[in-house]
Amino acid sequence: MSVTAVAADQSLCAPLPVLGRDVTVPLVTGGEVSYAALDYAASAPALQRVWDDVAAYAPYYGSVHRGAGYLSQLSTDLFENSRVTVAEFLDCREGDQVVFTRSTTDSLNLLAAALPADCEVFVFETEHHASLLPWQDARVTYLNAPRTPAEAVATLERALADRDPSASSRLRSKGHPNRPALVCVTGASNVTGELWPVKELAAAAHAHGARIVLDAAQLAPHHPVSVKELDVDWVAFSGHKLYAPFGSGVLAGRADWLQDAEPYLAGGGASKKVARRADGGVDVEWHTTAARHEAGSPNVIGVYSIASACKALTEAGFDQFVAREQRLIATVREGLAEVPEVRVLSLFGDDAPRVGVISFVVEGWNSSHFAAALSAEYGIGVRDGLFCAHPLVRTLLGSDPQTQGECGAPEAAPGEKSLNAIRVSFGAGTPDEHVERFVRAVKELVRDGAQWKYRTEDGRCVPDRG
C-alpha cells in the first residue's frame, strides 16, 4: 500500500476531534478512566473546530442588526453569513428561508404556530416528542407505528386519501384548493437509529396536496440532508446534536406560511415599523424575511457555532465518517448479538439502514440499573428511559416486564410494569476504544453482574456509597 493510501486509510479511521476527549472520570471500583461519551443522540460533544472558531470570534462579539460600530457590523455579517452557510449545508431551494431558533423543538413549535387556518397534521406515533406534540392546537391524525418503510408510505397515503373528502369537495366547488395539510416525519429515529423513507413520504404527501416537514435532529449529524433531493418543504434540526453548543436550532424551508403567520414572538427585530395611532393604539408592520420570527437579540454565538459545524462536517467529507460510523455500528450490533440476554429494539428489522443510535434491553436487568453500572464501573455514559419518545418505546417494549433489581425506572407508576430501555449513541467524534469498551462492559455485566450495590435517589439509579 502506498504512503498516500495509508494516510487516507488512517483518516478514515480517525474520529473528528471533539471537546472532552481527554476527560477522565472516577470509577467506584477505584482509579480513573477516560470518559466514553456514548449519548450523542441527546447532545453530541462540541467539535474542537467549532470551539476554536467561537473562541476566535468571542473578542469581537457585538450586537446584531442594531449597531453602527465595527464590532456590531462584524457580528451582523457573521450572523447573516451563517444563514447562507446553513442554507448551503441543507441544499435549500432559491427562495427558502433559514430561521434561527433555539432547538428542533422550538423550530417545530414555530411551524405549528404558522399553520394556515384549518390545517390538518399527520404524524406517526413513532416521533420524538419534539415532533409529536407541537400540533396540539391543530387537527391532528396520529398514525400507528409501521413495521417496514413501505408500510410507512402506504399508511400515510391511506390517511391522506381518506382526509375529510366531503369538506375538500365543498372547498373545491367554491374555487378553493384542498384543505391545507402537513406531514411531520423524522429522518432517523432517536430510539432505533433507523432511517425513514423521507423522499418517498414527501412524494406521497405532495401527491395528495400536503406539505411535509423533516425532523432532521438525528439525521443531519450523520448524513447529508438535501432539501432539494428529498423534496421536503421544511427541515428542522438542533445545533447541540450537530456538534455545536450554545442552544440554537434551525427551521429552513418555504417562506409563504411563515410570511403569512403572525410573528412567533412579538418584539424588536421582528418589527419593521411601529407607529402610534390617533386612537392611542399601535400599528405594526412586521418583516417578511426570516427576521419576522427572530425577535429579540439573536444568539449570534449559537448561530455561528452551527455554521462552523456545518462547514467542518462538509469539509471533512460525509462519505468518510459515514463509512466509519457504519463500522462502529457493526461492532456494537455484532457484540450485542453475542449476548442472548440482550434484545435490540427495532421497527424495520435487522437489515434496515441506520445511524449510530441503538436501544436495547437486558433480560434480568432493569435498564436504569444497567446504565448506572456502565457509568460507575466502566466510565461509559449512555441514556436510559423512554427517550422522549414514549409511545414508540412502549410499542417496541410491548408488555415485557423488567426486573426491578436494586433500582427501578422513574417512569413506572405504582402498579405499572417497569418499562424502560438503554440507548447507546455515537458519531463522528467517537473513538473505537469507547465502542469496544462498551461491548466488553455489556458482556461482563451480563456474565458477572455488577460489582457494586445501587439504590434509587431522586428518581435516578446511583451507586450506594453508604
Side-chain angles (χ1 to χ4, degrees):
M1 182 181 291
S2 68
V3 174
T4 303
V6 170
D9 186 62
Q10 288 175 342
S11 68
L12 178 66
C13 297
L16 294 181
V18 294
L19 295 183
R21 59 189 182 276
D22 298 323
V23 168
T24 59
V25 294
L27 303 180
V28 292
T29 51
E32 293 186 339
V33 66
S34 63
Y35 182 64
L38 297 179
D39 194 16
Y40 276 46
S43 284
L47 288 175
Q48 184 68 54
R49 154 79 176 272
V50 170
W51 197 258
D52 291 344
D53 283 350
V54 168
Y57 159 68
Y60 301 93
Y61 173 82
S63 63
V64 175
H65 295 149
R66 292 164 176 77
Y70 179 82
L71 297 191
S72 293
Q73 293 296 308
L74 186 150
S75 294
T76 297
D77 287 345
L78 191 79
F79 186 82
E80 292 303 331
N81 287 334
S82 294
R83 202 185 303 276
V84 174
T85 297
V86 171
E88 292 174 347
F89 179 75
L90 295 173
D91 192 23
C92 287
R93 299 165 292 250
E94 184 178 355
D96 281 347
Q97 285 188 349
V98 173
V99 181
F100 289 117
T101 65
R102 293 177 297 177
S103 60
T104 305
T105 302
D106 196 35
S107 296
L108 294 173
N109 275 273
L110 162 57
L111 185 59
L115 294 179
D118 211 22
C119 185
E120 297 177 78
V121 178
F122 296 82
V123 57
F124 286 93
E125 67 171 350
T126 48
E127 293 293 312
H128 182 276
H129 293 173
S131 49
L132 184 73
L133 301 180
W135 324 106
Q136 299 295 307
D137 293 335
R139 183 178 176 184
V140 188
T141 297
Y142 296 103
L143 306 176
N144 292 334
R147 287 298 182 168
T148 66
E151 184 183 340
V153 177
T155 298
L156 178 61
E157 287 181 330
R158 284 194 302 270
L160 291 172
D162 291 344
R163 65 186 178 111
D164 202 355
S166 61
S168 294
S169 177
R170 290 195 303 272
L171 288 169
R172 285 195 300 271
S173 69
K174 296 178 181 180
H176 296 291
N178 284 348
R179 184 194 306 272
L182 177 71
V183 176
C184 180
V185 68
T186 189
S189 171
N190 78 305
V191 176
T192 67
E194 293 164 318
L195 299 180
W196 276 63
V198 176
K199 189 171 184 177
E200 292 80 2
L201 290 168
H206 294 154
H208 290 276
R211 295 190 179 189
I212 186 168
V213 57
L214 168 64
D215 174 356
Q218 300 295 340
L219 182 63
H222 302 274
H223 283 276
V225 174
S226 170
V227 169
K228 291 178 184 175
E229 182 178 343
L230 295 173
D231 197 22
V232 294
D233 298 281
W234 293 276
V235 60
F237 71 88
S238 298
H240 72 100
K241 298 184 191 298
L242 195 78
Y243 310 100
F246 307 114
S248 282
V250 167
L251 176 67
R254 302 198 182 278
D256 53 352
W257 285 9
L258 298 176
Q259 290 175 348
D260 292 341
E262 288 296 307
Y264 185 46
L265 296 173
S271 55
K272 186 176 182 181
K273 180 181 179 181
V274 181
R276 289 293 299 275
R277 295 195 306 264
D279 64 3
V282 175
D283 285 326
V284 183
E285 180 183 352
W286 303 105
H287 280 293
T288 58
T289 62
R292 185 183 187 87
H293 298 291
E294 294 177 345
S297 296
N299 180 1
V300 60
I301 287 182
V303 165
Y304 182 44
S305 72
I306 288 180
S308 173
C310 289
K311 288 182 178 178
L313 294 175
T314 300
E315 292 171 6
F318 267 100
D319 288 347
Q320 287 199 37
F321 62 78
V322 166
R324 181 177 181 276
E325 182 177 307
Q326 291 304 309
R327 179 170 58 78
L328 296 181
I329 291 171
T331 297
V332 172
R333 288 177 58 82
E334 290 168 6
L336 295 180
E338 295 173 0
V339 185
E341 294 83 355
V342 169
R343 177 165 73 92
V344 173
L345 305 183
S346 174
L347 267 179
F348 299 154
D350 289 343
D351 295 332
R354 65 195 72 229
V355 299
V357 179
I358 299 168
S359 296
F360 63 98
V361 292
V362 184
E363 182 182 347
W365 285 80
N366 179 274
S367 295
S368 297
H369 186 192
F370 200 89
L374 285 173
S375 174
E377 300 178 26
Y378 294 91
I380 298 170
V382 297
R383 181 61 59 101
D384 66 276
L386 300 177
F387 319 128
C388 288
H390 293 189
L392 171 57
V393 179
R394 290 181 183 279
T395 294
L396 294 173
L397 291 178
S399 58
D400 291 350
Q402 293 197 358
T403 300
Q404 189 65 21
E406 299 177 52
C407 295
E411 293 86 359
E416 183 183 60
K417 291 178 177 177
S418 177
L419 292 176
N420 60 338
I422 306 152
R423 183 181 70 191
V424 56
S425 52
F426 41 87
T430 304
D432 286 30
E433 189 276 328
H434 290 183
V435 166
E436 293 162 358
R437 191 197 317 171
F438 166 77
V439 172
R440 184 176 70 253
V442 170
K443 293 179 178 179
E444 290 180 1
L445 284 172
V446 173
R447 184 189 66 221
D448 303 328
Q451 300 180 55
W452 206 262
K453 289 188 176 295
Y454 296 82
R455 58 186 175 84
T456 301
E457 181 179 291
D458 297 328
R460 292 297 309 162
C461 189
V462 298
D464 188 346
R465 302 179 185 275

